[in-house]
C-alpha cells in the first residue's frame, strides 16, 4: 500500500541484518508518557497504541472520508514508512483523522503500526469540503475540549505539560495553543469569532521513533 506514504530518512548504514524471526516493538527515543485520547469510551495512547487496538474496539479504518476505502487487515507495511490522512469510524460516524508509522527496518502487519497522530474538529463540515466528526465523547488526557476558551484550555493542560505557547495571527488574534511534553504535543486551534476550541491535534514527533 503506497497511498500517501513517505519513506523515512535512514541515517547511516546498517552494520548487520535484522533477524526476521520475531517482530521488534517500535520504540520512542525519549521516555515520555503517550497522549491519552478517548473515543467513545475507548482509550488509545498516541505514540504507543496500534491500529490493532482500534480494530479490537470495533472501529473501522478507511483511506477516505466517505468510508468506502476500507483497509484490509491482512495488508503489510513497507519498512520505514508512514501514512497520514486516514479515518477512524464506527457505525458510519467519523471520530478522528489519524496517522500511523512503521519505523522498523522490515515490513510489518498493517495492524501493528503505531498511531502517532490523532486529530478532529468540532466544526461542521464546511461546504461538504471537510468531514463532520463525532466529537461528543472525544477526550484528550481526560478533557473534553469542545466549547473551551483559551483560558479554560490552559487550566486543563498547563499543569500536565512542560511548556505551552501561543500562535498568533499577524493581526494579533490568537490562532492556537500548543502544549508540549518532550516529543509529545497537543495543539488546540480556536475559532476567531467565538474564541472557543475549533480543532485538536495530539501527536508524537515521528522523528522520535528509532
Amino acid at each position: 500500500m503506497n497511498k500517501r506514504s513517505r519513506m523515512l530518512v535512514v541515517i547511516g548504514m546498517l552494520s548487520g541484518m535484522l533477524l526476521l524471526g520475531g517482530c521488534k516493538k517500535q520504540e520512542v527515543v525519549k521516555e515520555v508518557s503517550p497522549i491519552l485520547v478517548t473515543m467513545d469510551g475507548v482509550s488509545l495512547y498516541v505514540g504507543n497504541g496500534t491500529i490493532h487496538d482500534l480494530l479490537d474496539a470495533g472501529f473501522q479504518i478507511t483511506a477516505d472520508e466517505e468510508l468506502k476505502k476500507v483497509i484490509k487487515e491482512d495488508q503489510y507495511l513497507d519498512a520505514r514508512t508512514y501514512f497520514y490522512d486516514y479515518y477512524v469510524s464506527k457505525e458510519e460516524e467519523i471520530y478522528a483523522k489519524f496517522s500511523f508509522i512503521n519505523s522498523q527496518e522490515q515490513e510489518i502487519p498493517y495492524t501493528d503500526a503505531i498511531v502517532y497522530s490523532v486529530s478532529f474538529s468540532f466544526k461542521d463540515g464546511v461546504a461538504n469540503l471537510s468531514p463532520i466528526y463525532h466529537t461528543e465523547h472525544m477526550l484528550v488526557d481526560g478533557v473534553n475540549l469542545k466549547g473551551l476558551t483559551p483560558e479554560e484550555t490552559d487550566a486543563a493542560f498547563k499543569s500536565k505539560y512542560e511548556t505551552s505557547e501561543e500562535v498568533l495571527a499577524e493581526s494579533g488574534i490568537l490562532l492556537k495553543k500548543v502544549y508540549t511534553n518532550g516529543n509529545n504535543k497537543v495543539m488546540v486551534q480556536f475559532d476567531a469569532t467565538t474564541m472557543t476550541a475549533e480543532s485538536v491535534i495530539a501527536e508524537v514527533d515521528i522523528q522520535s521513533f528509532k
Side-chain angles (χ1 to χ4, degrees):
M1 178 177 63
N2 294 318
K3 184 176 181 293
R4 298 190 181 96
S5 65
R6 297 287 187 277
M7 294 301 296
L8 295 177
V9 177
V10 181
I11 302 175
M13 299 296 293
L14 291 177
S15 58
M17 298 296 291
L18 289 176
L19 296 176
L20 301 182
C23 185
K24 180 183 177 183
K25 182 174 176 59
Q26 301 179 67
E27 298 175 334
V28 177
V29 173
K30 185 175 180 180
E31 275 299 326
V32 179
S33 299
I35 304 168
L36 174 60
V37 173
T38 307
M39 296 181 283
D40 200 26
V42 176
S43 297
L44 175 72
Y45 288 91
V46 179
N48 190 358
T50 66
I51 290 177
H52 190 275
D53 297 330
L54 293 170
L55 296 175
D56 274 358
F59 289 102
Q60 176 178 267
I61 308 300
T62 61
D64 66 320
E65 61 191 58
E66 288 80 22
L67 309 182
K68 296 179 180 178
K69 299 177 182 178
V70 180
I71 308 303
K72 297 179 181 178
E73 293 186 31
D74 60 355
Q75 288 182 293
Y76 276 70
L77 302 182
D78 292 337
R80 306 292 288 177
T81 53
Y82 68 91
F83 303 79
Y84 59 93
D85 286 356
Y86 283 73
Y87 294 87
V88 183
S89 64
K90 183 186 289 187
E91 297 177 355
E92 302 301 312
E93 296 275 5
I94 296 176
Y95 282 76
K97 185 162 62 175
F98 77 110
S99 306
F100 52 95
I101 185 172
N102 171 17
S103 64
Q104 297 186 39
E105 304 295 346
Q106 64 194 56
E107 69 174 14
I108 63 171
Y110 147 79
T111 53
D112 287 345
I114 289 179
V115 177
Y116 72 85
S117 177
V118 171
S119 63
F120 54 92
S121 173
F122 297 116
K123 294 182 68 175
D124 291 339
V126 179
N128 295 322
L129 295 178
S130 59
I132 298 175
Y133 293 91
H134 185 74
T135 59
E136 184 179 354
H137 302 294
M138 291 291 292
L139 307 177
V140 178
D141 278 338
V143 179
N144 186 336
L145 289 155
K146 188 172 184 177
L148 294 193
T149 64
E151 294 75 22
E152 291 169 330
T153 305
D154 276 348
F157 284 106
K158 266 194 170 181
S159 63
K160 300 180 180 181
Y161 286 80
E162 296 171 354
T163 63
S164 65
E165 62 178 303
E166 295 183 341
V167 179
L168 306 177
E170 290 185 3
S171 62
I173 294 177
L174 177 67
L175 294 178
K176 62 183 175 182
K177 290 264 191 178
V178 182
Y179 304 92
T180 305
N181 264 347
N183 52 11
N184 289 3
K185 184 182 297 182
V186 174
M187 292 170 280
V188 184
Q189 184 165 327
F190 296 91
D191 182 276
T193 302
T194 64
M195 269 297 119
T196 57
E198 178 180 86
S199 62
V200 183
I201 301 174
E203 68 178 19
V204 173
D205 184 355
I206 61 172
Q207 300 302 324
S208 303
F209 290 88
K210 290 182 178 179

